[in-house]
Amino acid sequence: MAEAMDALARAITCHQAGDLNVAEKAYLAILADHPDHADALHLLGLVFYQKGDAATAMAHIRRAIGIDPRAAMYHANLGRVLMAQGRAAEAAEAYREAVALAPNDAAVHSDMAAALVTAGDFDAARSRARLALELAPDLAPAHLNLGLALQGGGASAAVGAEACFRRAAACDPNLADAHQALGQLHQGRGEDDAAMECYRQAIRANPGMAEAHCNLGNILRERLDLSAAMAQYDAGLAAAPDTAALHANKGVALHELGCFDDALASYERALALDSDDAECRRNRAMTLLLLGRFAEGWPAYEARWRTARFKGQDRGGKAPRWTAAGAKPGARVLVRAEQGLGDTLQFARYAALLAAAGQHVTLECPAALVRLMASLDGVLQVVEQGAGTPPPSHDFQIPLMSLPGVFETDLTTVPADVPYLQASAQDCAAWRRRLEKQAGPRIGIVWKGSPDHPRDRVRSPGLGPLLPLFDLPGATFISLQKDGATDLAAHGAAAVVDMTGDLGDFAATAALVECLDLVVTCDTAVGHLAGALGRPVAMLLPHVPEWRWLLGRDDTPWYPTMRLFRQPATGDWAGAVDALATYIRRHWL
């Protein structure tokens, strides 16, 4: 046995030096002579664990436990292997055996807390982490795990989480997970500068921390620093090439860079690793739709209902989803608006197709659109969305933006008969009287969309880049920008006529638009409104636009009276406005 002890000591030396292959051979040699050598079995299991073979590691450690069930370390390391396999509840039980044998081992109590957090047992995790801190008040992982347990226990319990994370980072500045947790707290509160610094600290402590690279890359991407974002995604993938979230988020950055084939490849890789990632599926769908690949894009776009942003919006109740194959003459179909006002204005045209299929259509839409949508062809009734009252009785229901897929819309079959909305003749007459003294051409103008839109920083130029248009001779510019008076004053655009105080809903805006010669807008609901009314409209688009505007064309199959003016390069609003100014001079002055 003395020889076995000496051989074990030599094997451990190699193991500690990181020479795993030599250590493995040495442990196997010991086991060839002593098959029940528990320490050799246990340590051989750790070698396999370090090599990434968790299943073999677990088998060896379990054999060691069978031989010597009183060794706390064996149970603790079994817990670590189980955690690596994502089996947190089983890991917690292994740690429970370990702490029963070594009740004063603070590190094992802390590891058990981590397993309980992952398993979702936050109450037990808090108790276990506090016990670890009673034994070792400066144990950084215990502070981290207490913070995670507090964070998982709801708003009231989460108050102290930040203090725990800060204490963990102070006790061990190289504890990357503590910096990562702090970064996520800051990012969740919109404190992106602080979050970025935390993620950078996490990466300094652990350059291979894929999650920190991913989170930092996401903030950089949202700030449109796409090259820096790509560098973070690539650094994360170099360390962890099978991290689905990195491939998925890299796909979004590649889409924004205009590298659409590469974006699709990244999405495909992400989905091969995590087929349940609905956000990735939705993003892939939008790339397919932007490329005009509608047959693939529409079905893929249904994944939106499983994303965090849309979950809970599919308010279909008990009525079945309408399908063209299941259509019955006279069936009552509730069409439910979704997403933004512009989306509703664009896709409301499909009500006419439902009516043509013999369906009785009720449209549920936001209050700002109710009066206007009463003019929509094919709709028998319009009801306000979110009014707190149940919708009228119906046999079927369908979300509005699922209709293009149901009708198998492709680039040649877009229903583009305009106008499909009508302004009130009485309201139009009133606006004409108010505008009769304004010199023509009368050009409506909009310079920003909803700040809540996830791509608003990309799609909205603001008023500044549009100022050269106001120097065009002979034109009168009419503001259609709600809450735009501050921008007009800040830029000294006193010549712009602002009547938006009288635009109480989109029916009022429609009447004003009917009285204008041209509408100039960025990608906003007003642009959709003008197109749906069949009025001339010039839309300014970013270099990589929303999917509905396709690529490489100055027209759109959705609106025959719309002309598109795209940024020549990312961020180049001046180039787009120059082309628009030339168009106005040539056709309107």
Side-chain angles (χ1 to χ4, degrees), residues 186-208:
H186 284 300
Q187 189 174 2
R189 297 196 296 242
E191 299 163 358
D192 285 351
D193 287 340
M196 290 172 71
E197 179 55 31
C198 289
Y199 294 141
R200 290 190 172 107
Q201 288 179 348
I203 291 166
R204 284 193 288 270
N206 179 8

Side-chain angles (χ1 to χ4, degrees), residues 151-504:
Q151 196 174 47
S156 59
V159 174
E162 182 174 356
C164 291
F165 298 149
R166 293 196 181 281
R167 180 70 187 277
C171 290
D172 182 1
N174 290 319
L175 184 58
D177 285 336
H179 299 294
Q180 162 73 9
L182 278 170
Q184 289 177 310
L185 275 179
H186 284 300
Q187 189 174 2
R189 297 196 296 242
E191 299 163 358
D192 285 351
D193 287 340
M196 290 172 71
E197 179 55 31
C198 289
Y199 294 141
R200 290 190 172 107
Q201 288 179 348
I203 291 166
R204 284 193 288 270
N206 179 8
M209 191 172 199
E211 189 175 4
H213 284 293
C214 188
N215 291 340
L216 179 56
N218 289 345
I219 295 176
L220 290 165
R221 190 190 76 227
E222 289 167 4
R223 293 185 170 195
L224 305 182
D225 192 348
L226 299 177
S227 296
M230 286 290 294
Q232 291 300 324
Y233 297 140
D234 287 338
L237 287 169
D242 290 336
T243 304
L246 282 164
H247 289 287
N249 285 291
K250 182 178 178 180
V252 178
L254 286 165
H255 178 108
E256 292 292 351
L257 286 165
C259 303
F260 304 114
D261 289 340
D262 291 338
L264 289 174
S266 286
Y267 292 143
E268 295 292 350
R269 177 63 178 143
L271 292 169
L273 294 164
D274 180 7
S275 60
D276 291 330
D277 187 346
E279 191 70 41
C280 182
R281 289 190 179 278
R282 183 182 72 95
N283 289 334
R284 175 178 173 273
M286 291 192 292
T287 301
L288 292 169
L289 292 170
L290 178 63
L291 295 173
R293 293 164 59 175
F294 285 2
E296 301 166 82
W298 297 127
Y301 194 51
E302 289 301 302
R304 69 192 182 277
W305 297 114
R306 295 191 291 110
T307 65
R309 180 184 172 197
F310 291 91
K311 196 171 289 184
Q313 291 188 31
D314 193 359
R315 300 172 295 272
K318 297 180 180 179
R321 176 76 74 94
W322 187 84
T323 64
K328 299 177 181 178
R332 300 167 299 172
V333 181
L334 174 67
V335 178
R336 293 171 290 105
E338 53 171 300
Q339 303 186 51
L341 297 170
D343 298 293
T344 304
L345 288 161
Q346 179 178 0
F347 294 100
R349 69 186 74 203
Y350 280 89
L353 274 66
L354 283 169
Q359 310 301 282
H360 295 168
V361 180
T362 295
L363 176 65
E364 180 187 71
C365 67
L369 294 173
V370 168
R371 194 160 65 99
L372 175 63
M373 288 297 170
S375 70
L376 183 64
D377 290 342
V379 168
L380 297 180
Q381 186 177 9
V382 180
V383 296
E384 181 182 342
Q385 198 168 63
T389 56
S393 296
H394 52 281
D395 305 305
F396 299 94
Q397 55 77 33
I398 188 166
L400 180 61
M401 294 177 69
S402 293
L403 285 169
V406 170
F407 283 104
E408 299 180 347
T409 300
D410 60 30
L411 290 174
T412 64
T413 61
V414 170
D417 291 335
V418 295
Y420 56 85
L421 293 172
Q422 306 289 335
S424 157
Q426 182 177 352
D427 290 349
C428 290
W431 278 111
R432 287 193 180 94
R433 288 192 295 271
R434 294 181 63 177
L435 293 170
E436 62 185 7
K437 294 183 179 179
Q438 303 294 339
R442 303 177 185 122
I443 301 175
I445 190 161
V446 184
W447 54 88
K448 61 184 178 183
S450 168
D452 296 329
H453 191 281
R455 295 185 83 247
D456 192 58
R457 294 206 310 169
V458 175
R459 68 174 187 163
S460 292
L463 182 59
L466 276 63
L467 293 176
L469 298 178
F470 302 153
D471 294 329
L472 294 172
T476 295
F477 285 89
I478 312 290
S479 174
L480 300 173
Q481 182 70 59
K482 292 291 285 183
D483 303 319
T486 301
D487 289 342
L488 292 170
H491 286 88
V496 176
V497 178
D498 185 4
M499 300 178 177
T500 55
D502 294 326
L503 301 180

